């Protein structure tokens, strides 16, 4: 079999992604900034999700709205594994793997994503003044914002850090919260890839829920604390979680193969099913195909925009020039 230049580059990208996804690239992650730093970010529009069927807009239970490919000359930009979008959809916070957050305003043109304005990278800092990047909580993988609190899930030294959110939206004064022994005993590179706070009025109202890459789930706060399990299949693992307004959970999953590259899947789990001792499965809302313009999709956010429930996804480029940071948004059909 001839190895073409395209095939070589595809293989190299796959190999690099494999190393990064298995944790080998942790030491090569760029250092977080010492303080809040404004950066330049260029956005290139993604007008169609499928490169082979450009007129297609519906994908499973989702309608593709728009997307952007984000690029920056700053080496510390990228590695985004967690995502939050404000209730009006105009503000985002993205958590990077190197213990910092990106805050920016969403720009649109004709109702479609067009770019970010005012992007700022800020380090996460513990209440004792130690930057998270220089503590044992350096590998930040998941993010949830609710009220005046922000929760960050940490791998390797498994933990959840609660931060205060100031009136200006800054995330400050991180303090670890108690977590069960089963969470602390997870394999080193298989910690909490997903955290979310259940909406008011749902069966788990206000509870913090976390899910590890291998499907181990935990209700971490509230009166119904306990462990559950997500049923995994087809080579997928969990990368994020977000709650719909009715309390149903949407789980973002990723797969990877050397020749097929990255896959992305979203599943919906009924609100009442998430409880201690449960083994959970759910309907597939969306599953990517080879022609879809995705990458290593790791962050998920949900907000309501007019009559639409909008699901936003962001990719983790592992700080690699062979991958991309893409921000995509879909509307839940019906």
């Amino acid at each position: 079999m001839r190895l073409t230049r395209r095939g070589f580059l595809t293989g190299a990208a796959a190999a690099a992604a494999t190393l990064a996804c298995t944790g080998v690239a942790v030491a090569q992650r760029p250092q977080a900034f010492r303080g809040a730093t404004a950066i330049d970010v260029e956005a290139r529009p993604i007008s169609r999700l499928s490169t082979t069927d450009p007129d297609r807009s519906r994908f499973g239970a989702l309608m593709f709205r728009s997307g952007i490919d984000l690029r920056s000359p700053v080496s510390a930009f990228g590695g985004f594994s967690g995502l939050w979008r404000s209730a009006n959809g105009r503000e985002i916070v993205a958590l990077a793997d190197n213990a910092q957050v990106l805050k920016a305003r969403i720009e649109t043109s004709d109702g479609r994503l067009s770019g970010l304005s005012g992007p700022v990278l800020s380090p996460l800092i513990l209440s004792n003044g130690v930057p998270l990047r220089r503590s044992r909580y350096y590998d930040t993988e998941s993010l949830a914002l609710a009220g005046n609190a922000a929760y960050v899930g940490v791998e390797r030294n498994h933990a959840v850090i609660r931060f205060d959110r100031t009136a200006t939206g800054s995330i400050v004064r991180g303090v670890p919260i108690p977590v069960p022994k089963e969470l602390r005993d997870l394999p080193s590179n298989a910690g909490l890839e997903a955290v979310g706070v259940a909406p008011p009025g749902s069966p788990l109202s206000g509870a913090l829920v976390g899910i590890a890459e291998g499907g181990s789930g935990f209700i971490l706060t509230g009166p119904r604390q306990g462990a559950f399990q997500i049923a995994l299949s087809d080579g997928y693992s969990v990368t994020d979680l977000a709650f719909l307004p009715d309390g149903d959970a949407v789980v973002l999953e990723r797969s990877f193969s050397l020749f097929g590259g990255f896959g992305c899947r979203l599943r919906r789990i009924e609100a009442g099913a998430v409880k201690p001792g449960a083994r959970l499965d759910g309907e597939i809302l969306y599953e990517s195909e080879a022609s879809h313009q995705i990458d290593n999709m790791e962050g998920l956010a949900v907000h309501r925009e007019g009559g639409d429930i909008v699901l936003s996804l962001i990719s983790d480029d592992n700080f690699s020039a062979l991958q991309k940071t893409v921000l995509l948004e879909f509307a839940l059909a019906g």
Side-chain angles (χ1 to χ4, degrees):
M1 182 176 67
R2 289 178 55 204
L3 180 63
T4 64
R5 181 175 183 273
R6 179 185 179 91
F8 175 78
L9 290 174
T10 301
T18 301
L19 290 174
C21 289
T22 55
V24 176
V26 171
Q28 283 72 48
R29 291 174 182 167
Q31 292 289 327
F33 286 112
R34 294 184 178 181
T37 303
I39 62 170
D40 292 326
V41 177
E42 176 191 355
R44 303 181 182 184
I46 299 173
S47 58
R48 296 290 184 267
L49 183 64
S50 172
T51 57
T52 59
D53 191 0
D55 294 329
R56 182 181 174 191
S57 59
R58 180 157 183 164
F59 300 86
L62 303 182
M63 304 294 295
F64 179 68
R65 287 165 53 107
S66 63
I68 43 180
D69 178 353
L70 300 171
R71 307 184 184 197
S72 174
V74 176
S75 63
F77 176 85
F80 299 117
S81 295
L83 182 66
W84 171 86
R85 244 180 122 171
S86 61
N88 60 14
R90 297 173 187 167
E91 309 287 333
I92 67 163
V93 176
L95 173 75
D97 293 343
N98 62 345
Q100 64 182 346
V101 291
L102 171 74
K103 294 192 296 182
R105 291 182 297 278
I106 293 284
E107 297 293 332
T108 60
S109 177
D110 296 326
R112 305 176 70 85
L113 297 177
S114 61
L116 303 181
S117 61
V120 173
L121 280 173
S122 302
L124 293 171
I125 299 175
L126 294 167
S127 61
N128 61 6
V130 175
L132 217 61
R133 186 70 175 92
R134 298 190 177 278
S135 75
R136 64 192 184 97
Y137 305 123
Y138 61 90
D139 189 5
T140 48
E141 293 288 343
S142 47
L143 173 71
L145 274 64
N148 62 354
Y151 298 93
V152 172
V154 175
E155 267 196 330
R156 300 179 199 279
N157 293 288
H158 303 307
V160 176
I161 315 296
R162 183 196 185 279
F163 291 85
D164 294 333
R165 290 182 66 209
T166 68
T168 59
S170 296
I171 299 173
V172 298
R173 297 184 292 274
V175 177
I177 67 171
V179 296
K181 182 178 184 300
E182 295 91 336
L183 193 160
R184 298 195 303 271
D185 290 343
L186 289 170
S188 174
N189 192 37
L192 290 184
E193 291 282 341
V195 291
V197 177
S202 65
L204 292 175
S205 180
L208 178 67
V209 178
I211 307 175
E213 183 175 353
S216 297
F218 305 90
I219 304 170
L220 296 167
T221 62
R224 301 176 63 183
Q225 295 180 38
F228 60 89
Q229 186 70 33
I230 299 289
L232 301 178
S233 61
D234 304 322
Y236 281 97
S237 57
V238 175
T239 61
D240 209 354
L241 157 77
F243 285 95
L244 298 176
D246 64 1
D248 284 2
V250 178
V251 176
L252 172 63
E253 300 174 326
R254 171 196 61 210
S255 66
F256 179 79
S257 67
L258 188 60
F259 296 105
F262 288 107
C264 169
R265 187 168 74 180
L266 290 164
R267 285 194 290 163
R268 182 175 187 164
I269 297 173
E270 293 183 3
V274 184
K275 53 189 175 183
R279 181 174 176 82
L280 304 174
D281 206 337
E283 66 167 312
I284 296 174
L285 297 178
Y286 163 74
E287 187 166 7
S288 65
E289 301 169 11
S291 66
H292 295 182
Q293 299 194 69
I294 65 162
D295 202 89
N296 177 30
M297 309 310 295
E298 288 207 14
L300 170 66
V302 171
H303 77 282
R304 189 186 291 276
E305 196 167 303
D308 288 341
I309 295 175
V310 180
L311 283 67
S312 302
L313 284 72
I314 197 167
S315 66
D316 174 2
D317 68 352
N318 292 300
F319 301 105
S320 168
L322 298 174
Q323 292 179 249
K324 298 185 295 183
T325 297
V326 295
L327 179 64
L328 306 174
E329 63 172 13
F330 300 83
L332 187 61

